[in-house]
Amino acid sequence: VQLQASGGGLVQAGGSLTLSCAASGSFVNLNAMGWYRQRPGSERELVASITRTKIANYTDSVKGRFTVSGDNAKNTAYLLMNSLKPEDTAVYYCNADVLMLRDSRWGNYNYWGQGTLVTVSS
């Protein structure tokens, strides 16, 4: 399973960016996708996630500013980030939970994409 993330960049505070993450590979179901971020000197944290059934979840600090969405047909998740703040500066990673056959075993497996840097200037 490969996750291709894109959309990071440099933006001024108050601006917007949209991240996208496309999943590909030999999975049967894409159960959920999530966006995590890792700020300098901090641990990786969950920002937002969305299930195949469109149930979304957000960390408190981004509620009302970020919107996560998914396109099941394209196996792609998006993170629309509005009203960006300097403290949103981080490397953002996408994550996918998929149902697949791996090593002769059916199960739900977790994969990470490469990070994309979001820098918010004040």
Side-chain angles (χ1 to χ4, degrees):
V1 176
Q2 296 79 41
L3 301 179
Q4 183 65 47
S6 61
L10 173 64
V11 64
Q12 289 188 332
S16 300
L17 279 175
T18 299
L19 306 181
S20 64
C21 180
S24 61
S26 301
F27 53 85
V28 174
N29 276 338
L30 184 54
N31 300 318
M33 295 188 77
W35 289 99
Y36 290 71
R37 67 185 178 189
Q38 188 162 16
R39 290 178 276 198
S42 299
E43 294 184 352
R44 193 174 296 188
E45 62 173 348
L46 176 65
V47 176
S49 64
I50 188 163
T51 68
R52 185 174 183 83
T53 55
K54 310 297 185 186
I55 297 173
N57 180 54
Y58 300 90
T59 192
D60 286 346
S61 63
V62 307
K63 286 180 179 177
R65 299 189 298 123
F66 290 12
T67 301
V68 63
S69 61
D71 185 332
N72 291 341
K74 296 182 179 180
N75 291 326
T76 299
Y78 305 93
L79 185 66
L80 170 61
M81 304 183 292
N82 292 324
S83 303
L84 282 161
K85 304 175 181 180
E87 51 264 42
D88 294 318
T89 294
V91 178
Y92 285 71
Y93 297 90
C94 67
N95 176 277
D97 184 87
V98 303
L99 173 65
M100 64 183 294
L101 179 65
R102 193 174 80 178
D103 298 329
S104 301
R105 290 189 176 186
W106 283 101
N108 295 312
Y109 298 95
N110 202 261
Y111 290 88
W112 291 93
Q114 87 284 6
T116 184
L117 178 62
V118 172
T119 304
V120 184
S121 62
S122 57

